Amino acid sequence: MSTKPILHRDDPEAEPLTGNIKVTRDDWLNVAMDVLISDGVEQVKVMNLAERMAVSRSSFYWYFKSRQELLDALLARWQATNTAALIAQSELPAETITAAVCNVQRCVVNSELFDTALDFAVRDWARRSGKVRRMLDQSDARRLAALRTMFIRFNYDETEAETRARVLYYMQIGYDLAQLNEPMATRLSMVPHYLYVFTGVEPRPEEVSEFSDYAKRLWERTGHEPT
């Protein structure tokens, strides 16, 4: 679930801004990201963002040379968060393939690791931009390669590793796109069965329990069920 970005000036834990500075570069980026997710790239406009933050548009140019530079920064942040997080999770040490898949699936329940809404916003953007489509294709390829390598690490042959990586990755995209809004208890009850389908291996009970506890802790901390 996405939350509205808190501006630096409104964050009681942030260092006070000095001089005439009313917003930071991160403020521009965070608000632009919020607009990208909620309204699409067409609405990521300097004047629109300035109005949301109650500042003049001229302050934008203290941080960015152009709107295109801002859009490029949004794409760079997307790659540095979502793509990097999924790859990093796939590379974590694990005793079994089912534990390794649980590591990856933490991206599904933790939006701080992987922002699903942002991923869909970029996919929508890619329908309108050849440049973004190429970046998305490259990102998908990197994610799939990481998942394939994860399966190979547990002695799956090349063909089976590729197939299982695709099933795991594309199933999750479709699952999120369906927006099932099912209760977390229902979703968690399916975890051992999904793990078996993804891997062909029965998961250990402690692996399922650890993943379920992780999801529940996130729910309690954020006040909403993981999506």
Side-chain angles (χ1 to χ4, degrees), residues 99-113:
V101 172
C102 282
N103 288 336
V104 171
Q105 291 300 88
R106 289 190 176 207
C107 291
V108 175
V109 299
N110 188 349
S111 61
E112 294 178 1
L113 273 179

Side-chain angles (χ1 to χ4, degrees), residues 61-75:
Y61 297 100
W62 297 351
Y63 305 110
F64 302 96
K65 294 178 182 178
S66 64
R67 175 177 180 266
Q68 185 58 54
E69 186 173 308
L70 171 65
L71 296 180
D72 290 342
L74 290 176
L75 288 170

Side-chain angles (χ1 to χ4, degrees), residues 98 101-102 105 108-109 168 171-172 175 180 182-199 201-204 207-209 211-212 215-216:
T98 46
V101 172
C102 282
Q105 291 300 88
V108 175
V109 299
L168 176 59
M171 176 271 188
Q172 191 57 54
Y175 203 104
L180 298 178
E182 62 189 355
M184 184 175 71
T186 301
R187 192 165 190 176
L188 291 180
S189 72
M190 298 297 294
V191 166
H193 309 292
Y194 287 142
L195 288 172
Y196 180 74
V197 169
F198 292 147
T199 66
V201 176
E202 291 285 355
R204 297 174 180 174
E207 294 168 349
V208 177
S209 296
F211 180 81
S212 297
K216 291 173 183 176

Side-chain angles (χ1 to χ4, degrees), residues 78-79 82-84 86-87 114 119-120 122-123 126 132-148 162 165-166 169-170 173:
W78 163 70
Q79 289 184 315
N82 282 14
T83 299
L86 189 148
I87 292 172
F114 189 100
D119 230 53
F120 281 128
V122 172
R123 290 183 186 281
V132 178
R133 177 75 254 179
R134 289 189 293 274
M135 292 181 69
L136 177 61
D137 289 345
Q138 292 168 0
S139 178
D140 281 340
R142 289 177 61 203
R143 297 175 190 185
L144 280 169
L147 295 176
R148 181 174 63 249
E162 175 70 23
R166 287 171 174 260
Y169 185 58
Y170 292 126
I173 291 175

